[in-house]
Amino acid sequence: MKQDSPEDIWEKREMNKIGLDTFLLQKENVLDFPIDNLIKSLKIQLHKAKSEYHKLTKLERSSRKEVMELKKNENVKETNLQPVIMNYFQEIIYIEDELFVLYETKIIYAFKFLEINIKQLLSAAYEDSSIARQFKWESICQFLKSKKISIKDFNDYENIEQLRNVNNSLKHSDKEIDQRMQQIQEFKNKETFNYIDLESFYIRIKKSPAIFLNSLVHFIFNDLYIFKHERIWELAKSFALRMDKKDALEFSEELLKFYQ
């Protein structure tokens, strides 16, 4: 077995630290920009459709002279405005459904983006490829708990819990809002999801995944590289409970070789 030199150990330790510090610099939610462009375009179409719809419904209730003038100016051939109004109404419903799907996609992807990066971060930091195969959120929490790390201590934990719950609800329901979702401010007293509320929710929690990941980096760094006196004492005690003096001396000698 190749013997690592003190220089090799120092270099690997420092590179691992740098990898943790720079992890988030390489990560970006690539879906936001293209979807935001689609949303912008659809909102313009929606505004035009709604303007025409409201104008026509108002004119339908107006005098016959005004209606005939409108038909003449806008080349409306129908003797009845109802078919035109209905076309705009259907267009509004269709665009709003598209907007709903796009915001639904943004929310689901935001949580998946977070989950993937947590697994990558843990796998790299602890050199354990099995972590990436743990698909359940509960498994990730359990792994962190084994390292004495509680996600409830992370910045923006509450927002991430809301994101996780909304993500699950959108994937498993047909726009219906259950009682648990009604505790979230954007969905209070609502029976169904709509794109406007999803948009408000996403805007509020958009930065939370990055903030949450930053906290995770901080806690992992402390777990792997910060050794205060109390922690060193606990580690020493745990070895003392299993080693006799001869083994402890040999262990100390071998450990110190990596710093000579």
Side-chain angles (χ1 to χ4, degrees), residues 74-109:
E74 301 195 11
N75 197 27
V76 177
K77 297 180 180 179
E78 288 85 350
T79 56
N80 190 333
L81 287 178
Q82 272 301 316
V84 184
I85 292 172
M86 183 55 64
N87 284 340
Y88 280 118
F89 179 76
Q90 290 174 341
E91 183 180 357
I92 290 166
I93 297 300
Y94 179 79
I95 294 172
E96 288 182 342
D97 282 344
E98 282 196 309
L99 286 168
F100 178 90
V101 171
L102 289 174
Y103 280 111
E104 179 183 48
T105 301
K106 281 166 76 74
I107 289 168
I108 292 173
Y109 181 79

Side-chain angles (χ1 to χ4, degrees), residues 7-186:
E7 290 78 13
D8 292 334
I9 294 295
W10 179 88
E11 183 177 357
K12 184 176 181 180
R13 183 173 63 249
E14 294 307 309
M15 289 299 295
N16 287 341
K17 288 181 180 180
I18 292 171
L20 265 178
D21 286 339
T22 60
F23 179 81
L24 289 178
L25 296 179
Q26 309 162 28
K27 309 300 176 184
E28 181 183 1
N29 185 327
V30 297
L31 206 62
D32 261 343
F33 182 72
I35 285 189
D36 283 344
N37 284 337
L38 285 172
I39 286 172
K40 182 178 180 181
S41 175
L42 285 171
K43 282 185 173 181
I44 291 172
Q45 294 176 46
L46 181 62
H47 176 74
K48 289 180 179 178
K50 283 185 172 182
S51 295
E52 291 300 315
Y53 174 79
H54 291 307
K55 181 172 71 175
L56 290 174
T57 51
K58 181 180 178 180
L59 281 166
E60 190 185 34
R61 295 189 295 268
S62 302
S63 67
R64 180 172 177 80
K65 180 180 178 181
E66 289 175 311
V67 174
M68 295 304 294
E69 188 66 26
L70 171 75
K71 291 178 180 180
K72 179 181 176 181
N73 292 339
E74 301 195 11
N75 197 27
V76 177
K77 297 180 180 179
E78 288 85 350
T79 56
N80 190 333
L81 287 178
Q82 272 301 316
V84 184
I85 292 172
M86 183 55 64
N87 284 340
Y88 280 118
F89 179 76
Q90 290 174 341
E91 183 180 357
I92 290 166
I93 297 300
Y94 179 79
I95 294 172
E96 288 182 342
D97 282 344
E98 282 196 309
L99 286 168
F100 178 90
V101 171
L102 289 174
Y103 280 111
E104 179 183 48
T105 301
K106 281 166 76 74
I107 289 168
I108 292 173
Y109 181 79
F111 184 71
K112 180 56 66 177
F113 171 82
L114 172 66
E115 207 171 25
I116 289 170
N117 280 290
I118 289 174
K119 291 174 184 177
Q120 285 187 347
L121 180 54
L122 293 175
S123 295
Y126 291 101
E127 299 182 346
D128 184 351
S129 60
S130 68
I131 298 170
R133 298 192 294 271
Q134 297 177 18
F135 293 101
K136 292 184 178 180
W137 180 256
E138 291 75 15
S139 299
I140 294 172
C141 296
Q142 196 61 39
F143 177 85
L144 290 171
K145 188 177 180 181
S146 72
K147 304 297 180 184
K148 297 183 179 180
I149 298 173
S150 171
I151 65 168
K152 292 183 179 180
D153 296 329
F154 291 11
N155 292 331
D156 274 26
Y157 165 75
E158 291 296 334
N159 281 353
I160 294 302
E161 268 297 285
Q162 291 179 9
L163 172 61
R164 184 173 73 89
N165 289 328
V166 173
N167 161 76
N168 289 337
S169 184
L170 288 170
K171 288 198 297 186
H172 300 122
S173 71
D174 184 24
K175 293 189 179 182
E176 292 183 3
I177 297 176
D178 60 35
Q179 190 172 10
R180 183 175 51 179
M181 294 302 100
Q182 291 180 352
Q183 297 173 10
I184 298 172
Q185 64 187 58
E186 288 81 7

